[in-house]
Amino acid sequence: MKFFATFGAVLLPLLAATAGGIKFDSEDEASILSVTSQYAHGLMSLYQNNATTTAAQDIGIWPAPHYWWEGGAAWGGMIEYTQLTGDTSYVQTLQQALTANYGPDNDFILSYRKSQTGNDDQAFWALAVMSALEYQFPDPEQAPAGYLEVATNAFNNIVGRWDETTCGGGLKWQIYPENAYGFNYKNSISNGAVFAMGARLARYTGEQKYADWAVKIYDWTKKVGLITDAYEIFDGTDDKTNCTNVADKTQWTYNNAMFLHGSAFMFDYTNGDSVWKERTSGFLDHAELLFFSPFENSTDIMYEWACETGASGRHCNLDQQSFKAYLSRFMAKTAIMAPFTKDKITKVLTASAVGAAKSCSGGADGMTCGTKWYTGSWDGTSGVGQQLSALEVTQALLMIKKGTLPVKNSASNPEPSTSVI
């Protein structure tokens, strides 16, 4: 196995066609749109909890053994799909999924979800609401609260748990002490997701307090060694040791994704501040180095370095099957918010989307998506994570081609990016 990318190699052919499978031309916007629609249909066909007989506590979630957080993660991608493509087929389903999970205080805290509610889980649902705000997803009729209220409630709820009793600060992974497996773990995804949330709220609202939180979270994460000078992002640290050492140095795509796009939003919010430009570049360069080109003949194709090839002795679990979706989504946002990254991001996402199309050639329909995008065919796996990842990497190309900036609170409609920074 080759752990690091070979730069400057030729991209895969831009046309992916598999017998009975997805036919995809990455240069043709109509093809991107068509294939994205096929992936969305495949994903939503796996969702069954919008029937009139569905119990209230099951609305918006995927069937077990999927955890609650993956509902929020997927709906964020589907909200953006709706707005990027103009396909309104799933609007009511998405509205129902979101509002059913608001909780009594409109902040995604639900008493019956205690065993599955960490700071990161709540943040993934809050980020879906941020996408609804930024892309002007239709407001549900008779919703208990507006998207902005829910987003800010969730953000305030999470940062209210900022813990300075150990490690000089930071957010724990788990919220409730009875979730002992993660209550003493301060991890990058919890802090990174809220860092990104703060950056996006700062840009959307124009309120400095959210940017201040983003800076505070970033500085703490760097101070305890979860972000290195080389822009590696390690998984987490233990507050029982006062975070004197990094407890788990695994690097996951979704951790990079959070700090990458959060930095890009801060770059935009600060009108091109050089510090945030350097950080955005640093995270992107490291992502390209670690999470693309698993083998010599699969240049620029995204993969989950820690578990996907099996070389580490680990194999991706159900959660990890979806992680590539978030790196894809947030790289595309980075290309929009920090246009100096656009060419590099477009290159790797294009190769990855072509690889994904080749993997989406399985199942009874001949279009079921697999995990490994670098094999040139279906790898025999399937599920929510695989479908979502293929959807996200492909609609990421659509997002970049359209060049639409997320709106700010004072704006009426999304506008194409015209920045040349």
Side-chain angles (χ1 to χ4, degrees):
M1 176 185 176
K2 179 174 170 293
F3 284 93
F4 302 108
T6 300
F7 300 103
V10 177
L11 282 175
L12 287 170
L14 294 176
L15 182 65
T18 52
I22 298 292
K23 294 177 174 58
F24 175 58
D25 181 352
S26 62
E27 293 298 295
D28 179 14
E29 188 170 325
S31 178
I32 297 171
L33 183 62
S34 174
V35 171
T36 298
S37 178
Q38 291 179 67
Y39 293 150
H41 177 76
L43 174 66
M44 294 304 291
S45 70
L46 300 174
Y47 177 61
Q48 305 298 324
N49 282 349
N50 60 343
T52 56
T53 56
T54 300
Q57 65 267 25
D58 293 331
I59 297 171
I61 65 172
W62 300 99
H66 294 89
Y67 289 107
W68 174 67
W69 76 274
E70 199 162 349
W75 307 143
M78 282 300 300
I79 285 166
E80 296 187 9
Y81 163 83
T82 299
Q83 301 308 86
L84 285 168
T85 65
D87 181 358
T88 61
S89 304
Y90 311 109
V91 168
Q92 289 186 337
T93 297
L94 299 174
Q95 290 173 333
Q96 180 196 45
L98 286 181
T99 57
N101 286 272
Y102 279 0
D105 295 322
N106 296 316
D107 57 8
F108 295 112
I109 293 293
L110 298 159
S111 61
Y112 52 83
R113 288 273 180 257
K114 291 182 73 171
S115 66
Q116 295 188 32
T117 305
N119 283 309
D120 56 337
D121 306 87
Q122 186 184 7
F124 267 98
W125 282 90
L127 286 167
V129 174
M130 277 306 306
S131 290
L133 283 169
E134 293 165 338
Y135 293 96
Q136 299 184 309
F137 187 71
D139 291 298
E141 292 184 11
Q142 300 177 334
Y147 294 135
L148 182 57
E149 180 182 346
V150 177
T152 55
N153 284 352
F155 182 85
N156 291 333
N157 179 268
I158 297 172
V159 298
R161 289 187 288 274
W162 184 259
D163 174 36
E164 296 188 354
T165 62
T166 61
C167 310
L171 293 165
K172 294 173 180 283
W173 176 21
Q174 290 300 305
I175 294 172
Y176 303 105
E178 55 264 42
N179 294 345
Y181 59 89
F183 189 68
N184 294 110
Y185 194 58
K186 294 185 174 180
N187 62 348
S188 290
I189 191 59
S190 295
N191 287 278
V194 183
F195 159 71
M197 187 77 181
R200 289 167 69 171
L201 276 170
R203 181 182 178 275
Y204 183 82
T205 66
E207 295 185 44
Q208 181 63 31
K209 65 182 180 181
Y210 297 114
D212 292 343
W213 265 112
V215 171
K216 183 175 183 176
I217 294 169
Y218 187 99
D219 289 349
W220 177 86
T221 310
K222 181 74 164 62
K223 180 180 178 181
V224 297
L226 294 180
I227 298 173
T228 73
D229 290 343
Y231 294 97
E232 302 160 298
I233 305 175
F234 300 137
D235 190 72
T237 185
D238 191 341
D239 71 357
K240 290 184 292 186
T241 65
N242 205 36
C243 303
T244 53
N245 298 295
V246 174
D248 185 345
K249 290 191 174 183
T250 307
Q251 297 184 65
W252 300 105
T253 51
Y254 77 158
N255 282 327
N256 179 282
M258 291 300 179
F259 283 98
L260 171 64
H261 93 282
S263 295
F265 271 78
M266 288 298 291
F267 171 79
D268 181 88
Y269 176 75
T270 58
N271 297 312
D273 183 88
S274 61
V275 170
W276 291 110
K277 183 175 185 179
E278 179 182 341
R279 290 170 177 174
T280 303
S281 294
F283 289 123
L284 177 57
D285 289 347
H286 188 68
E288 187 180 32
L289 187 69
L290 192 62
F291 299 125
F292 294 85
S293 304
F295 301 102
E296 292 283 358
N297 63 348
S298 52
T299 303
D300 295 330
I301 298 178
M302 189 187 300
Y303 75 116
E304 195 63 53
W305 173 82
C307 63
E308 191 170 304
T309 66
S312 65
R314 302 170 68 165
H315 297 278
C316 300
N317 66 22
L318 196 67
D319 284 352
Q320 295 151 10
Q321 295 285 2
S322 73
F323 286 3
K324 295 199 297 290
Y326 319 125
L327 183 56
S328 299
R329 185 194 310 174
F330 295 137
M331 288 184 84
K333 290 189 187 302
T334 298
I336 300 298
M337 302 310 301
F340 65 88
T341 66
K342 180 180 176 180
D343 289 348
K344 181 177 289 189
I345 287 172
T346 301
K347 179 188 72 169
V348 296
L349 289 184
T350 298
S352 298
V354 170
K358 291 180 179 180
S359 87
C360 293
S361 56
D365 62 357
M367 294 187 292
T368 296
C369 296
T371 299
K372 298 175 181 178
W373 296 345
Y374 49 83
T375 64
S377 62
W378 186 48
D379 64 2
T381 68
S382 63
V384 173
Q386 289 89 338
Q387 287 296 140
L388 179 62
S389 294
L391 168 68
E392 297 265 25
V393 75
T394 310
Q395 76 180 26
L397 298 183
L398 195 61
M399 181 183 291
I400 293 171
K401 280 185 177 293
K402 287 179 175 293
T404 305
L405 284 166
V407 303
K408 299 179 183 179
N409 199 20
S410 58
S412 58
N413 291 294
E415 296 179 358
S417 171
T418 56
S419 174
V420 293
I421 294 176

